[in-house]
Amino acid sequence: MGPPSLLHLTTQIVATNIEKYPAGLWGVLSESQWDAILRARVAQKTQQLQRPPTTTTAAATEAAAINSSQKITLLPALFAKHLSLIEQHPHNTHLANSRTADDLLWKSILNYKFRESGMNRPTSLCVPCSCVERTLRECADTLMELICRVEDDRAVVGYAAFVAERTREEQANNSMLLLKDDSESDSDNDEHHHHHQQQQQLQQMEENETANSDINNDELLHRHQYQ
C-alpha cells in the first residue's frame, strides 16, 4: 500500500479541525467534498472509541466497556452547535441538504440528546420521517385555515361596526338638519310677525293722522261760521 495522497491528508486535517474554521468558508466546497470530510470525521471518532485501553487489568477493561456502552458511544462526531452554524450560513445552502450529514451526524446528535431508552425522547422520533412531515404539513394547513377564518370573522365584524357607525352619523346629521330647519322656520315666523306689527303700527299712525286732520278741518269750518 502506497503513501496516502495529498487529498486524503488534506481531508483528514480539515476533518480533525472542523470547529476551528469560520462557518462562511465552507461554501467553497462542493457537496461531495463536504460529505468526504464528514465521513473522515466520523471515522476518526470511531477509531478513537475503538482504541484499546492503556491498562490491561480486568477492572479497567470492564470500566471502559461500561463507559463505552453508556456514554462514549453516544457522543456525536460533531456537536449540533458547530454543524448548525455551518448549515445555516447563507454561503452554505448547498451543504445544508447533505444526506450524509443527516445519516452520520444528525442521527447521532439526536440519540445523544434524547436517549433511545430515555423518558424524554419525543414520540415523533419513533416514527418514519415521512409520517412526521405529513403530520406537520396537515397541522400547518389547519393552522392557516383557522387564521384565515379568524381574519374573515374580524373583517365581517369590522364591516358591521363600520355600517353601524355610518348609520349613527347619518342619524345625527339628519337630526341637526331638522333642528336647523326648525330654527330657520321659527326665525322666519318671528320676522313675519314683526313685519306685520310694523304694518299695523303704520296703519294705526295713518289713521290717527287722518282723524287729526278731520278734527282740524271741522274746527276751521266752525270758526268761519261764527265769523
Side-chain angles (χ1 to χ4, degrees):
M1 183 177 180
S5 64
L6 181 61
L7 177 60
H8 177 75
L9 293 176
T10 305
T11 302
Q12 295 296 322
I13 294 173
V14 173
T16 305
N17 303 285
I18 290 179
E19 300 89 347
K20 298 181 181 180
Y21 296 106
L25 296 181
W26 296 99
V28 299
L29 299 178
S30 64
E31 186 175 350
S32 60
Q33 292 173 334
W34 172 243
D35 293 343
I37 292 173
L38 295 182
R39 293 191 188 94
R41 177 64 177 237
V42 173
Q44 291 174 359
K45 294 298 181 180
T46 304
Q47 291 176 1
Q48 293 176 4
L49 294 177
Q50 293 176 353
R51 185 177 301 168
T54 56
T55 58
T56 57
T57 60
T61 305
E62 184 178 0
I66 294 175
N67 292 333
S68 177
S69 62
Q70 291 182 355
K71 295 181 180 180
I72 299 178
T73 54
L74 294 176
L75 289 175
L78 185 65
F79 285 98
K81 61 179 181 179
H82 303 296
L83 186 57
S84 298
L85 286 176
I86 295 173
E87 293 186 348
Q88 293 177 2
H89 197 278
H91 294 170
N92 307 330
T93 55
H94 61 294
L95 304 180
N97 299 323
S98 173
R99 186 64 179 269
T100 303
D102 294 339
D103 294 338
L104 299 182
L105 293 179
W106 282 115
K107 285 185 178 180
S108 61
I109 291 172
L110 288 175
N111 291 330
Y112 174 73
K113 187 173 183 179
F114 306 105
R115 296 176 182 270
E116 294 184 1
S117 58
M119 298 295 294
N120 62 341
R121 186 177 179 86
T123 56
S124 58
L125 298 179
C126 301
V127 297
C129 182
S130 58
C131 297
V132 177
E133 292 177 351
R134 183 174 64 254
T135 304
L136 291 176
R137 283 195 297 268
E138 292 176 355
C139 293
D141 295 339
T142 304
L143 181 60
M144 291 301 299
E145 182 179 355
L146 292 175
I147 292 175
C148 295
R149 187 180 303 172
V150 170
E151 293 294 333
D152 293 340
D153 294 340
R154 288 180 180 175
V156 171
V157 173
Y159 181 74
F162 171 75
V163 172
E165 183 66 22
R166 288 299 300 271
T167 303
R168 286 194 294 270
E169 291 178 359
E170 291 179 356
Q171 290 176 355
N173 293 332
N174 292 334
S175 300
M176 293 181 66
L177 290 175
L178 290 175
L179 292 174
K180 184 178 180 179
D181 293 339
D182 293 339
S183 61
E184 290 179 354
S185 62
D186 293 338
S187 61
D188 292 340
N189 293 331
D190 294 338
E191 184 178 358
H192 180 70
H193 181 68
H194 181 67
H195 183 66
H196 183 66
Q197 286 181 348
Q198 288 180 349
Q199 288 182 350
Q200 287 181 350
Q201 289 177 358
L202 290 174
Q203 186 177 1
Q204 185 67 32
M205 291 175 63
E206 290 176 356
E207 290 178 355
N208 292 335
E209 289 178 357
T210 303
N212 291 331
S213 63
D214 292 339
I215 292 172
N216 292 330
N217 291 332
D218 291 339
E219 290 180 353
L220 289 174
L221 291 174
H222 184 69
R223 288 177 184 177
H224 285 298
Q225 287 178 359
Y226 285 100
Q227 289 180 358

